[in-house]
Each structure stands twice: as C-alpha cells, then as structure tokens.
Amino acid sequence: MALRELSALEARVLAVLVEKESTVPDSYPMSLNSLTLGVNQKTARDPVMSASESEVAAVLDELKSMSLVQSVSGSRVVRFEHNMKRVLGVPGQAEALLAVLILRGPQTAAELRLNTERLHRFADVSSVEGFLDELAAREPPMARKLARAPGARESRWAHLLSGEPPAWAGAAAGSDIATGAGGGRGGSSSAARDEEIAALRAELDALKATVARIQAALGMDEPNPA
C-alpha cells in the first residue's frame, strides 16, 4: 500500500507501538499516556523527543486515517494498537527493522541485529541484510543503505518512511573527526577503531545471548565465577 511520507513524530508513534507490543505485552494496546512516555523516552531513542499528549493524540488521528493505527474499545481508557505489518505489506522481520531504524536512527546491519533482539531474533547479520535489501528493492523503497562514513568499517542503513534521510546522516559518525575536530590525522583511525570495537561488542553480546538460551534449553547452570 502506498502511503504519504510520515512526519518524524508520526513515525515515532508508530514505531513505539511496534516496540512495546513485544517488550511490554502486558501494557499493550497502549494508552495515550503510556504511548507519550514511550515517544519521549530518553534511552534507545535518536533523536530524543519531547511531545505533548495533545500532539501525540493528533498524530494518532492521522495514523488512524491511514489505517496504520486503530483504537481499542472495551476499556475505561482508550488504547491504541498498530497495523504496520498489514498496511505496509511487510513480514514481521522487516517490521522490526523499520521500527528500530525509526527509534534509533541509521545503524549498521550488525547493530540492527543486536537492537532488534527483543522484537525479532535474526540468525545472523546476513539474514538482517537480506531483509534490508528487500526493503530497499520495494517500490517505493522503505530503506536505503547510506554512503559509508569516513573511517567507518560498515555502512549504515536508514528508513525512508519519512522521506529521504538527511545528506549528512551517513557521514555523521565520522564528520567531526574527518574535518579536524578530533585534533589531527589520528582522528580518522580512531573512528575506524571505535566502529570496529562497537561491531565486535555487538557480536559478542549476541553470542552471549545465544549461549544463554542454549544453556537454558539444556537445563544447564551458568558456570560459577572463579
């Protein structure tokens, strides 16, 4: 289904509903108050927003007009749920990727694999890239691989539900260093090193989570620390 471009707040509200459906299912569908708190959350958000309940309510009306959100009756408090997967015609894996890209901004495939863990567990980075490639190949495209930032090890991806990302989005991580804000030529190599460390940490965390799940499935106790 072809939709108009979403505003940043419309996209954020939609993505918060997708996120909270998986992370706090007992509170889903969401009330206006809890949804506003999720929109203005300071962790796992880029950029951080400060929207009022009236602004979120107006956005919900717009999303309802596009069938992306619907209200749920039968409660003293009106609650809201999303229809993102059905309306956009994407699988759950792609829905999770789009939601995290909206919530956290441009990310590498490795970062997305880690950050979508609570929404969908991808087997490996290549499976993440496969769904990203499918989103990029749609007409109109819903995601795009950005130009690699100076000194960066991997390219980042951005969603296109709010239109084309800013021209600087792909280079933001390395722009200050590349233009001399780092104080010298060593800045570029420092950016590359930081990027590599971040990617390795993401892979290590994912491996730890996999080992923990295997141990739990086998009924194995975690080894006692030395």
Side-chain angles (χ1 to χ4, degrees):
M1 176 180 180
L3 295 173
R4 66 165 174 79
E5 291 181 5
L6 302 179
S7 70
L9 185 54
E10 288 170 343
R12 173 66 62 88
V13 168
L14 182 62
V16 168
L17 286 169
V18 175
E19 177 193 52
K20 301 303 184 185
E21 181 184 19
S22 295
T23 59
V24 285
D26 292 343
S27 301
Y28 185 87
M30 302 183 72
S31 67
L32 175 60
N33 176 260
S34 59
L35 181 53
T36 303
L37 290 174
V39 167
N40 296 334
Q41 185 177 311
K42 290 182 170 57
T43 58
R45 298 290 185 266
D46 185 13
V48 172
M49 290 184 171
S50 181
S52 66
E53 283 196 8
S54 60
E55 289 173 326
V56 173
V59 160
L60 285 167
D61 287 339
E62 288 294 321
L63 293 173
K64 287 167 67 176
S65 72
M66 293 182 279
S67 300
L68 284 167
V69 167
Q70 64 187 25
S71 56
V72 181
S73 58
S75 171
R76 288 178 297 177
V77 177
V78 178
R79 294 181 177 274
F80 302 90
E81 60 185 11
H82 72 90
N83 294 315
M84 184 175 180
K85 181 169 60 176
R86 178 176 63 80
V87 174
L88 295 186
V90 297
Q93 299 94 324
E95 177 187 66
L97 292 170
L98 286 171
V100 172
L101 284 171
I102 292 169
L103 294 174
R104 293 176 177 245
Q107 297 157 77
T108 66
E111 290 169 336
L112 283 166
R113 184 185 177 220
L114 176 64
N115 293 330
T116 55
E117 179 76 10
R118 298 176 69 188
L119 280 65
H120 180 83
R121 289 174 178 163
F122 289 92
D124 48 39
V125 174
S126 63
S127 62
V128 174
E129 293 172 335
F131 282 101
L132 289 170
D133 287 337
E134 289 181 12
L135 287 171
R138 293 176 67 96
E139 187 55 49
M142 295 185 183
R144 173 157 299 159
K145 194 173 190 177
L146 304 176
R148 191 165 58 184
R153 186 165 171 262
E154 301 290 341
S155 295
R156 285 177 167 81
W157 286 80
H159 77 91
L160 300 179
L161 297 184
S162 298
E164 290 291 332
W168 46 262
S175 59
D176 289 344
I177 295 170
T179 55
R185 291 189 177 183
S188 180
S189 61
S190 176
R193 183 170 60 252
D194 291 345
E195 184 81 13
E196 185 171 0
I197 290 172
L200 289 172
R201 283 177 177 168
E203 293 175 8
L204 179 59
D205 288 341
L207 286 171
K208 286 180 178 178
T210 300
V211 171
R213 290 197 298 271
I214 293 172
Q215 287 178 324
L218 295 177
M220 298 169 58
D221 293 329
E222 293 186 7
N224 294 323

